Amino acid sequence: MSYSYLLLLIKDRIDSPPPGSKMISSQSMHLCRSMTMHHNAPRSGRMISNRIQRLMFSSGSTTYYDSQSGQHVSIHDETKITAYSRKDDGTVTGAPSSAIWEAAKEMGMAGSIITLPQQLQHDFIKSLGSSSNSNNFLHILTSQYYDLVAKEKQLLIPPNINLCFEYNNNDSEYISSNVQSAMANFDGIQTSIGIFNPTYLLDDDPMLVAAQIASIIDTTSEFGGTISNILVAPITDNDDALSKSGTCDDELVQLCEELSYLDVPGSTIKSRLVVSALSSDQLDECLQMGITKYIIDTSDDSKSLESRLDMLRDAVEENGKELILE
């Protein structure tokens, strides 16, 4: 038996869950679920996935063949954890301060999440390119995309910028069309989806939200594109529901679990997830789930960037993983 065939067989086993497991099939947004599934089943599934992952890494392979996308995709290393910073101050009405990504750089973070100003300025995108971080997510509302293209027709988006379209449960088709347009207008552009409004965590069924995300991914894939990341990072300013409830840690974990069950083309969902670091318990659940990218939100004055990063570092160490700070 050839080694490549063995890897393909392992991948097929991963993609074909055993009887009694729960999954979401993104095609036609059909949702299938076992009513007899126990709450702790995902964790046992993670153990199997981790054993398979160790087998594949020990053999020296770094990619596997994904039959849905027809591409070789990277094996997700669940032991390497990275962090991103986000600070909302100064990003709504004007160009963001370079302090946002400079702080991230000084602390060795992988990048930043930056909000597109409501009034787009001429040098805004170019200023983002001055960051030496490997990946900056540009949070953009779907309603802002037309202005981005119309006002910056000759714009060259730097390779370290990832256009992150904010999710809206009423505009999934519009988001898909904007992603396709971005791929056509900006050569080699990276595109992501961001779930920033806490309403979708607190009020909506996580299975339905996951199904809509799957639909966007499928539509994008049909046109030759890729949703590189899915950000789950609630912003309190979007709605007062989060400030009233005080936290959405459990809801974030539930949504991430539902997203991780999606069977979509390309890399695994857990390798694409970028989630807020809200609490130690939430981090512990997400790390055990195999999520490796975390947002350190500095808009909350109660905790500094350093203390939130320490919280992430402690959770990573307790789970036997490594926080990568360059």
Side-chain angles (χ1 to χ4, degrees):
M1 180 182 296
S2 68
Y3 176 66
S4 60
Y5 177 78
L6 175 60
L7 289 182
L8 180 58
L9 180 61
I10 294 174
K11 174 62 169 56
D12 288 340
R13 290 291 180 88
I14 297 174
D15 287 343
S16 301
S21 67
K22 73 175 181 179
M23 61 175 288
I24 296 177
S25 175
S26 59
Q27 296 183 4
S28 302
M29 293 176 61
H30 290 166
L31 299 122
C32 304
R33 205 172 194 180
S34 169
M35 300 303 294
T36 60
M37 181 176 186
H38 297 290
H39 177 70
N40 62 352
R43 184 164 298 183
S44 63
R46 295 172 207 155
M47 295 172 61
I48 297 173
S49 176
N50 290 339
R51 288 197 295 269
I52 294 174
Q53 178 180 260
R54 288 195 296 270
L55 171 63
M56 298 176 83
F57 271 111
S58 64
S59 60
S61 175
T62 59
T63 63
Y64 65 89
Y65 180 75
D66 176 63
S67 58
Q68 290 195 67
S69 64
Q71 298 176 349
H72 287 271
V73 298
S74 298
I75 297 173
H76 179 49
D77 186 355
E78 299 181 8
T79 66
K80 308 297 183 184
I81 311 302
T82 55
Y84 298 78
S85 68
R86 178 175 64 180
K87 184 174 175 63
D88 294 328
D89 296 346
T91 64
V92 177
T93 59
S97 168
S98 60
I100 298 174
W101 55 71
E102 287 300 328
K105 177 184 176 182
E106 290 177 4
M107 303 192 73
M109 295 187 183
S112 303
I113 290 80
I114 301 168
T115 304
L116 182 70
Q118 293 179 357
Q119 299 297 324
L120 183 62
Q121 297 181 1
H122 179 70
D123 294 329
F124 176 79
I125 302 295
K126 292 182 180 178
S127 70
L128 298 182
S130 64
S131 167
S132 60
N133 285 332
S134 59
N135 195 6
N136 289 316
F137 293 94
L138 181 58
H139 169 194
I140 177 173
L141 297 171
T142 53
S143 58
Q144 293 177 304
Y145 179 72
Y146 175 77
D147 289 338
L148 180 66
V149 175
K151 294 182 179 180
E152 303 288 349
K153 294 181 180 179
Q154 305 301 319
L155 179 66
L156 294 176
I157 295 184
N160 64 335
I161 299 300
N162 189 316
L163 286 185
C164 182
F165 293 92
E166 179 163 351
Y167 169 78
N168 185 322
N169 62 357
N170 296 318
D171 292 331
S172 59
E173 293 184 1
Y174 188 40
I175 295 174
S176 297
S177 65
N178 283 347
V179 169
Q180 296 166 38
S181 175
M183 293 186 299
N185 281 279
F186 306 111
D187 186 34
I189 188 67
Q190 298 182 78
T191 54
S192 297
I193 305 171
I195 303 174
F196 300 117
N197 193 325
T199 298
Y200 300 128
L201 281 76
L202 297 171
D203 298 337
D204 288 13
D205 186 332
M207 290 181 66
L208 297 179
V209 174
Q212 291 212 26
I213 296 296
S215 177
I216 296 173
I217 295 174
D218 279 344
T219 302
T220 303
S221 178
E222 290 173 2
F223 286 87
T226 302
I227 298 297
S228 62
N229 293 99
I230 303 167
L231 280 65
V232 184
I235 301 176
T236 307
D237 292 344
N238 276 359
D239 195 284
D240 62 356
L242 184 57
S243 60
K244 290 180 180 179
S245 67
T247 181
C248 61
D249 301 23
D250 292 340
E251 290 82 0
L252 185 146
V253 171
Q254 291 172 10
L255 178 57
C256 288
E257 285 186 341
E258 295 299 340
L259 288 168
S260 68
Y261 302 143
L262 294 178
D263 181 19
V264 294
S267 302
T268 60
I269 292 295
K270 63 183 177 182
S271 70
R272 307 188 209 188
L273 283 170
V274 188
V275 306
S276 289
L278 300 177
S279 68
S280 297
D281 290 341
Q282 171 254 327
L283 285 173
D284 187 59
E285 288 289 332
C286 289
L287 286 165
Q288 292 184 27
M289 205 182 303
I291 299 172
T292 57
K293 303 177 184 69
Y294 294 89
I295 297 172
I296 308 297
D297 204 333
T298 63
S299 61
D300 182 358
D301 294 334
S302 65
K303 289 189 176 180
S304 66
L305 178 64
E306 292 81 2
S307 64
R308 284 184 177 270
L309 189 58
D310 287 341
M311 178 179 67
L312 174 61
R313 182 183 289 108
D314 291 343
V316 169
E317 292 177 355
E318 288 176 3
N319 282 272
K321 302 186 180 185
E322 179 184 5
L323 179 61
I324 305 299
L325 298 174
E326 299 179 354

